Amino acid sequence: MDDSINYLLRGVQQEDRIALSRAITLVESKHPSHQKQAEELLEAILPKTGNSFRLGITGVPGVGKSTFIDAFGSYLTALGKKVAVLSIDPSSTRTKGSILGDKTRMERLSRNPSAFVRPSPSANQLGGVAQKTRESILLCEAAGYDVVIVETVGVGQSETAVHDMVDFFLLLMLSGGGDELQGIKRGIMEMADMILINKVDGENMKAGARAKKEYKRAVHLFPENEKGWNIPVETVSSTESRGLSTCWNHMTVYLEKVQGNGYLEKSRSEQTLAWFREALRQKLEQDFYEKYGANGEINRIIDAIRNGSLSIRSAISNLLKE
Ligand code: GDP
């Protein structure tokens, strides 16, 4: 292991935020020499990983995710926890609004010495981002963070990607307007371990109470999950920091339950295995195209598939014969 990696490793283990930040940058890098270094670093920190509560948070843009994380993260640090926040944003073209928004996002938490807030990686194909976020979670754990929050904008496949890397998946909703209106698919609601209705303050109190009843009724109809967990529905106000302790209580009860019944261990090992399979598939595919992509043969085969003169089966056996 070269000196710079040793230095980063020591920094991460000493819970130094700058070292952690540089380690994540290294892991995100596509440069082949960085990838080799990242591999060594990840291998070395592995024994120190796995000890955090991994919390995924989703909800449509504007629902209040960053405001909630700012408030909830601050609440947790006041309890003596160290909190890290990572984001997944699969959109390839970030709007001006979200770039400006990012600067002021989670302002309170960003200044908190017990917190580490990592801005979302520059957009990329989702697969790559998801792998790197998984590795970033491990780095945060090695750096001693007790709670690692992974936030995703509530669109497309990113929710499933985040759901598959966390212990607890939290869905933020608004009162008023059905879930269709909020652009949340039923499948996403069924993945949630808790539903929080945000912005229940001021004139919104009554609508919030009503929405809570409606969502409670809705989750009641969901098929029973193998964890044996009844999905709580609660109301919060992130701007007024209200409802946060209730929210944390549910999470601690959940953790005790899934630690006790073995579900946590089982789910994590399944997640790791799925991650391995996915990473292997991506690597094989990448290597394949690197090796044969420039080769005229593959283009000839693609043409033959297109015009229907070659079956997919034969195309693949021809290619793999090489
Ligand atoms: P995100 O896009 O989901 O991250 O949403 P933001 O956290 O950026 O919040 C969007 C807007 O909703 C901002 O103007 C927030 O101030 C506001 N907001 C967030 N949480 C609350 C809340 O609990 N109550 C009220 N009244 N406004 C909120």
Side-chain angles (χ1 to χ4, degrees):
M1 185 179 291
D2 71 30
D3 285 352
S4 63
I5 296 305
N6 237 323
Y7 181 78
L8 269 191
L9 174 62
R10 248 180 299 130
V12 168
Q13 286 175 337
Q14 284 162 8
E15 312 193 353
D16 169 6
R17 285 193 293 182
I18 295 171
L20 174 59
S21 193
R22 286 182 47 205
I24 293 179
T25 304
L26 181 73
V27 159
E28 284 173 354
S29 169
K30 285 190 163 158
H31 195 284
S33 72
H34 292 165
Q35 286 184 0
K36 189 71 205 147
Q37 290 178 321
E39 187 179 318
E40 284 180 31
L41 181 62
L42 288 164
E43 188 62 34
I45 56 132
L46 207 56
K48 278 200 75 184
T49 62
N51 297 321
S52 79
F53 176 51
R54 303 169 181 171
L55 169 62
I57 297 187
T58 193
V60 292
V63 71
K65 291 180 296 300
S66 52
T67 314
F68 172 78
I69 294 169
D70 203 30
F72 189 59
S74 305
Y75 167 82
L76 293 177
T77 60
L79 294 182
K81 311 248 172 247
K82 285 184 67 183
V83 178
V85 183
L86 307 168
S87 303
I88 284 197
D89 181 354
S91 56
S92 54
T93 47
R94 308 208 61 199
T95 62
K96 207 170 163 194
S98 69
I99 291 173
L100 288 178
D102 253 16
K103 273 195 193 155
T104 50
R105 294 186 94 211
M106 305 170 209
E107 215 174 339
R108 188 154 48 122
L109 202 58
S110 305
R111 286 194 312 264
N112 186 325
S114 300
F116 173 78
V117 178
R118 176 81 179 179
S120 24
S122 58
N124 212 298
Q125 135 245 38
L126 177 64
V129 174
Q131 305 297 343
K132 283 166 185 168
T133 306
R134 285 190 154 97
E135 292 172 343
S136 302
I137 294 176
L138 299 180
L139 288 168
C140 291
E141 291 180 341
Y145 287 88
D146 306 295
V147 181
V148 180
I149 297 176
V150 184
E151 174 206 21
T152 167
V153 296
V155 284
Q157 309 161 277
S158 64
E159 285 113 335
T160 316
V162 170
H163 174 263
D164 293 349
M165 64 177 85
V166 296
D167 305 323
F168 192 95
F169 194 60
L170 174 62
L171 174 62
L172 289 191
M173 302 284 278
L174 295 171
S175 53
D179 34 310
E180 307 84 13
L181 277 182
Q182 295 184 34
I184 294 289
K185 293 186 206 77
R186 193 191 154 90
I188 303 297
M189 276 186 66
E190 287 181 7
M191 287 195 301
D193 295 303
M194 173 156 69
I195 293 175
L196 280 189
I197 303 156
N198 188 35
K199 307 196 190 184
V200 181
D201 45 44
E203 292 174 352
N204 225 351
M205 301 294 286
K206 268 200 182 130
R210 213 162 38 231
K212 179 172 169 173
K213 269 196 199 141
E214 282 165 19
Y215 283 120
K216 273 199 156 161
R217 210 173 306 134
V219 300
H220 222 74
L221 302 173
F222 288 177
E224 199 176 328
N225 52 42
E226 57 170 320
K227 312 169 207 182
W229 174 248
N230 294 320
I231 304 164
V233 180
E234 296 291 350
T235 57
V236 287
S237 167
S238 302
T239 44
E240 294 178 3
S241 294
R242 235 172 342 91
L244 305 177
S245 59
T246 308
C247 179
W248 180 237
N249 283 343
H250 282 302
M251 292 178 191
T252 47
V253 169
Y254 176 89
L255 251 181
E256 268 172 30
K257 179 162 188 144
V258 295
Q259 271 166 345
N261 66 13
Y263 180 85
L264 184 70
E265 199 183 337
K266 176 169 162 273
S267 141
R268 280 192 174 184
S269 80
E270 280 169 4
Q271 287 176 341
T272 309
L273 191 60
W275 171 15
F276 165 69
R277 293 206 171 107
E278 173 60 18
L280 181 62
R281 192 190 60 73
Q282 276 185 27
K283 179 75 179 133
L284 289 174
E285 192 177 305
Q286 186 191 340
D287 286 359
F288 177 84
Y289 282 106
E290 264 166 27
K291 204 158 174 197
Y292 298 109
N295 161 341
E297 175 68 0
I298 196 167
N299 290 329
R300 197 189 57 72
I301 288 180
I302 287 172
D303 283 343
I305 294 169
R306 273 213 181 120
N307 67 28
S309 63
L310 184 67
S311 74
I312 303 265
R313 257 180 208 245
S314 311
I316 291 174
S317 37
N318 287 354
L319 273 172
L320 294 186
K321 229 184 286 165
E322 294 199 41

